């Protein structure tokens, strides 16, 4: 709990730094240098007049600015941290599932600077991806420094994501739910991380709000849901969100594949994407930037129907050119803009033909935002809460729930987040969670044939002799024993690698200096189910099996692989029984 609060504090500070850096850089580059001014957001007075033209004042070299941002971003990302490429939320999801929650310390720094370069030069990208990776990176960094278990590292990674997103979008509950829901395509939650994510998000949001203010990110008219007949049109809007979401995701990854096939240095590809985006912006400048100002205008009915349709399609292309080319930025903000323009267009068309059945077409802008992103991200619960929080409008919860669920159900097995897995059972993070029933009744002693002889290391053995003694060993964990031959500690190969980087003569480092004294053990009588939980919770690969009468005597080493091998064998037996019946 305390660590989650600390992660939230740092995530909130990171969100503040990133917020001011992007705002200042955007003001200088796009507004003052390029002469491009977009509508404001967060205040009804900033909406301006009705917009029914593509014309916007800008200087002639506008088309070069996104290319410049892409060049800087590409050089930073591919030169220092290639995993910072693209939308950072996907990288954080991959780290949770595939990398034991590990994120290199340099990644958040590179991601932040590269994303500022992309966003401030007009790239069609948002802040949520970078700040999610920044917060997740600190959570992983803190867990590493405190030598926490793999499961704890994963939870702190999620807490960092929640804090960053909750602060950036001024949506503390939505940010917490998003972090635990976005991991899976099915409607599942990483429930172990929910409370830490809530704590982190509260702290980050409080710090962010204390500095920037407490107003919602977007303001809305006084929308209300009072006519159940409108649910039919909202059902149709949910299906439209799923349809356009399919186009969006396919375009996004097809553009990525095209850029990947280019025979050019990787760092140049974001610049090429930026150049094409800049040329496009000479004709449709509204596609540049996050686009929140246009959403604000649509919420107040200040955009022409044809312009909303054009911007919905243009943002799909612009976002693909920005991020799929290797640029750095999030997909949440562009997705909200696309959904808002789709909802606004849908509402305007329905109101044109059925003015008495849909009294307030502007409400479709808000509902389209939520429905579209819920469909492409498979996060219906988090999205409807987050959109309600970032607009300060909770009066449309019923239609929001309908559209978000319908969009997700119709979209299903496709997602803008490629690293999502279908469910908990498909995640390496929960490899051992669901096999306990199959292993019921099997003890550790039944797996003795899979055990490996322990390589015992005397406490006073120096490092250079330890390395020689380890050669030829079948294990990767080494029990340390005292003069009586009783285990007093243990270390792994990874522990040894960390020691080798220290500038201390190997002869001065003894085995007791490397080992940890608190050893997790098992006995032949213990059930394999309990051992599997120890493996999962502590993130270890081997465990010493000790004599129950002499706890200091190591009988053999049992590996996670051995347990899973037995699990596979038991599964085959059960399949045979099922086939016979």
């Amino acid at each position: 709990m305390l660590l989650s609060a600390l992660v939230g504090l740092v995530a909130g500070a990171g969100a503040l730094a990133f917020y001011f850096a992007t705002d200042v850089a955007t003001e200088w580059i796009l507004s003052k240098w390029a002469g491009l001014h977009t509508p404001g957001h967060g205040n009804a007075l900033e909406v301006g007049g009705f917009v029914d033209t593509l014309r916007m004042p800008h200087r002639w070299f506008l088309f070069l600015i996104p290319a410049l941002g892409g060049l800087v971003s590409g050089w930073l990302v591919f030169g220092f941290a290639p995993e910072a490429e693209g939308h950072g939320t996907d990288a954080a999801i991959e780290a949770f599932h595939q990398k034991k929650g590990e994120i290199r310390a340099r990644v958040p720094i590179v991601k932040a600077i590269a994303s500022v370069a992309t966003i401030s030069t007009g790239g069609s990208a948002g802040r949520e991806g970078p700040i999610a990776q920044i917060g997740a990176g600190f959570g992983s960094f803190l867990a590493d420094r405190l030598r926490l278990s793999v499961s704890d590292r994963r939870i702190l990674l999620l807490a960092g994501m929640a804090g960053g997103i909750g602060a950036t979008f001024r949506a503390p509950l939505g940010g917490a739910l998003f972090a635990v829901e976005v991991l899976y395509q099915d409607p599942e939650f990483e429930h172990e991380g929910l409370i830490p994510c809530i704590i982190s998000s509260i702290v980050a949001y409080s710090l962010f709000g204390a500095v920037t203010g407490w107003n919602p990110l977007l303001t809305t008219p006084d929308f209300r849901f009072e006519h159940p007949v409108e649910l039919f049109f909202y059902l149709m809007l949910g299906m439209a969100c799923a349809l356009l979401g399919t186009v969006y995701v396919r375009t996004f990854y097809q553009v990525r594949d095209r850029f990947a096939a280019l025979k050019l240095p990787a760092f140049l590809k974001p610049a090429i994407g930026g150049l094409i985006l800049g040329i496009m912006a000479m004709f449709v400048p509204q596609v540049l930037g996050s686009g929140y100002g246009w959403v604000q205008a649509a919420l107040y009915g200040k955009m022409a129907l044809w312009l909303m349709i054009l911007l919905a399609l243009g943002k799909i292309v612009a976002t693909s050119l920005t991020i799929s080319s290797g640029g750095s930025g999030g997909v949440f903000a562009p997705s909200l803009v696309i959904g808002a323009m789709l909802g606004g267009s849908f509402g305007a068309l329905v109101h044109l033909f059925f003015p008495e059945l849909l009294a307030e077409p502007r409400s479709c802008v808000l509902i389209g935002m939520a429905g579209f992103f819920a469909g492409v991200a498979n996060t219906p619960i988090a999205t409807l809460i987050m959109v309600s929080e970032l607009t300060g409008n909770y009066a449309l919860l019923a239609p929001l729930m309908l559209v978000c669920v319908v969009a997700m159900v119709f979209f299903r097995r496709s997602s803008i987040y490629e690293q999502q897995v279908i469910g908990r059972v498909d995640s390496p993070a929960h490899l051992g969670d669901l096999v306990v029933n199959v292993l019921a009744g099997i003890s550790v002693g039944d797996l003795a044939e899979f055990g490996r002889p322990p390589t015992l290391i005397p406490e006073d053995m120096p490092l250079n002799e330890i390395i020689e003694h380890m050669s030829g060993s079948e294990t990767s964990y080494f029990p340390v024993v005292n003069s009586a031959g009783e285990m007093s500690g243990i270390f792994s190969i990874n522990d040894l690698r960390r020691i080798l980087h220290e500038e201390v003569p190997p002869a001065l480092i003894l085995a007791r200096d490397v080992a940890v004294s608190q050893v997790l053990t098992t006995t032949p009588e213990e059930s394999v189910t309990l051992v599997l939980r120890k493996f999962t919770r502590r993130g270890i690969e081997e465990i010493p099996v000790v004599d129950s009468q002499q706890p200091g005597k190591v009988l053999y080493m049992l590996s996670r692989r051995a347990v899973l091998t037995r699990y596979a064998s038991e599964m085959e037996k059960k399949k045979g029984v099922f086939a016979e019946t």
Side-chain angles (χ1 to χ4, degrees):
M1 300 294 183
L2 292 175
L3 292 178
S4 297
L6 177 59
V7 169
L9 190 65
V10 174
L16 279 172
F18 189 69
Y19 171 82
F20 286 117
T22 51
D23 272 13
V24 171
T26 302
E27 176 67 20
W28 275 95
I29 296 173
L30 282 185
S31 298
K32 293 185 177 180
W33 189 28
L36 182 71
H37 298 276
T38 57
H41 62 88
N43 189 329
L45 299 176
E46 297 184 17
V47 174
F50 190 80
V51 183
D52 62 351
T53 178
L54 293 176
R55 294 178 182 175
M56 291 180 66
H58 56 77
R59 294 190 171 91
W60 67 268
F61 52 82
L62 176 68
F63 73 98
L64 293 174
I65 292 179
L68 180 62
L71 186 63
V72 173
S73 175
W75 174 74
L76 286 168
V77 169
F78 294 102
F80 298 95
E83 58 266 52
E85 173 192 2
H87 46 112
T89 306
D90 217 25
I93 295 171
E94 181 185 19
F96 179 89
H97 290 308
Q98 311 296 341
K99 298 181 179 180
K100 300 181 179 180
E102 293 180 350
I103 296 177
R104 287 198 298 165
R106 70 171 65 180
V107 171
I109 300 172
V110 173
K111 184 69 177 180
I113 300 173
S115 298
V116 169
T118 300
I119 296 171
S120 63
T121 55
S124 181
R127 293 171 175 160
E128 112 285 345
I131 193 57
Q133 198 167 10
I134 291 168
F138 177 74
S140 176
F141 171 81
L142 181 62
D144 281 340
R145 288 298 173 268
L146 297 178
R147 297 191 175 185
L148 302 182
S149 66
V150 173
S151 60
D152 287 339
R153 185 195 297 129
R154 286 186 166 116
I155 288 176
L156 289 184
L157 179 147
L158 295 181
M161 287 178 61
I165 294 173
T168 300
F169 293 103
R170 300 169 192 177
L173 180 56
L177 292 176
F178 180 80
V180 297
E181 187 179 23
V182 75
L183 301 171
Y184 306 110
Q185 291 181 10
D186 281 346
E188 293 198 47
F189 291 90
E190 190 65 22
H191 55 80
E192 298 90 343
L194 182 58
I195 300 302
C197 285
I198 289 175
I199 292 172
S200 173
S201 188
I202 290 170
V203 173
Y205 166 74
S206 300
L207 175 61
F208 193 87
V211 177
T212 64
W214 305 100
N215 292 328
L217 190 66
L218 299 167
T219 60
T220 67
D222 187 22
F223 294 140
R224 293 186 180 277
F225 172 67
E226 298 174 336
H227 306 287
V229 69
E230 294 176 352
L231 289 176
F232 171 76
F233 297 111
Y234 293 138
L235 174 66
M236 301 299 293
L237 176 56
M239 297 172 65
C241 287
L243 181 62
L244 188 62
T246 304
V247 175
Y248 176 40
V249 172
R250 288 182 178 176
T251 303
F252 188 90
Y253 286 110
Q254 284 177 1
V255 171
R256 182 199 61 180
D257 294 342
R258 294 291 179 87
F259 274 98
L262 290 178
K263 305 295 184 182
L264 290 171
F267 77 92
L268 289 177
K269 294 178 182 179
I272 295 174
L275 180 61
I276 300 173
L277 172 63
I279 295 172
M280 178 181 175
M282 297 298 288
F283 302 95
V284 190
Q286 289 82 358
V287 299
L288 293 179
S290 66
Y292 284 135
W294 302 114
V295 175
Q296 188 71 83
L299 283 167
Y300 281 90
K302 297 297 183 70
M303 291 188 67
L305 171 61
W306 68 269
L307 183 56
M308 289 190 289
I309 295 174
L310 180 63
L311 189 52
L313 299 176
K315 265 293 185 180
I316 292 177
V317 178
T319 307
S320 301
L321 289 171
T322 301
I323 301 174
S324 297
S325 62
S328 182
V331 294
F332 184 81
S335 299
L336 290 185
V337 177
I338 297 167
M341 297 302 114
L342 170 64
S345 306
F346 179 89
L349 286 171
V350 171
H351 184 71
L352 183 65
F353 293 102
F354 307 99
E356 296 179 356
L357 297 181
L358 186 63
E360 183 51 271
R362 298 177 299 176
S363 64
C364 291
V365 176
L366 189 152
I367 295 171
M369 275 196 298
F372 185 81
F373 187 73
V376 299
N378 292 304
T379 55
I381 307 301
T383 301
L384 70 90
I385 295 296
M386 194 180 302
V387 168
S388 296
E389 286 184 303
L390 67 86
T391 59
N393 192 315
Y394 296 87
L396 298 176
L397 276 178
L400 279 171
M401 291 165 66
L402 175 65
V403 174
C404 287
V405 170
V406 168
M408 178 184 174
V409 169
F410 275 84
F411 199 70
R412 294 308 291 155
R413 295 294 181 222
S414 187
S415 173
I416 196 69
Y417 296 123
E418 200 174 31
Q419 296 300 327
Q420 283 179 337
V421 299
I422 294 175
R424 287 170 64 94
V425 69
D426 303 287
S427 172
H430 299 288
L431 191 60
D433 288 358
L434 303 177
V435 302
V436 291
N437 290 335
V438 176
L439 298 176
I442 301 175
S443 67
V444 171
D446 296 329
L447 274 66
E449 60 181 304
F450 296 105
R452 296 173 179 175
T455 302
L456 304 178
I457 307 294
E459 286 181 332
D460 56 354
M461 180 177 286
L463 182 58
N464 49 2
E465 293 184 24
I466 291 175
I467 296 173
E468 294 179 7
H469 198 64
M470 286 168 50
S471 61
S473 175
E474 297 180 1
T475 65
S476 56
Y477 288 74
F478 302 91
V480 175
V481 296
N482 57 24
S483 57
E486 297 179 340
M487 182 172 59
S488 61
I490 195 170
F491 65 86
S492 68
I493 289 180
N494 289 332
D495 296 327
L496 208 60
R497 286 171 180 160
R498 283 193 288 267
I499 294 293
L500 290 174
H501 290 296
E502 298 183 4
E503 297 180 359
V504 180
L508 298 181
I509 301 176
L510 304 181
R512 67 169 67 94
D513 301 324
V514 184
V516 294
S517 58
Q518 295 182 344
V519 186
L520 198 65
T521 64
T522 184
T523 64
E525 294 77 21
E526 191 169 49
S527 73
V528 174
T529 297
L530 292 178
V531 174
L532 194 55
R533 288 175 180 166
K534 291 179 180 179
F535 279 130
T536 302
R537 289 175 182 171
R538 295 291 293 271
I540 58 177
E541 297 299 325
E542 286 183 327
I543 190 170
V545 181
V546 300
D547 192 322
S548 56
Q549 303 300 320
Q550 298 176 276
K553 182 181 179 181
V554 183
L555 302 176
Y556 53 89
M557 302 294 291
L558 183 66
S559 67
R560 182 198 290 260
R561 184 185 295 273
V563 176
L564 295 179
T565 300
R566 182 58 182 264
Y567 166 71
S569 174
E570 293 297 320
M571 283 296 294
E572 288 296 325
K573 291 180 183 178
K574 290 189 179 294
K575 287 180 181 178
V577 172
F578 291 146
E580 291 176 3
T581 56

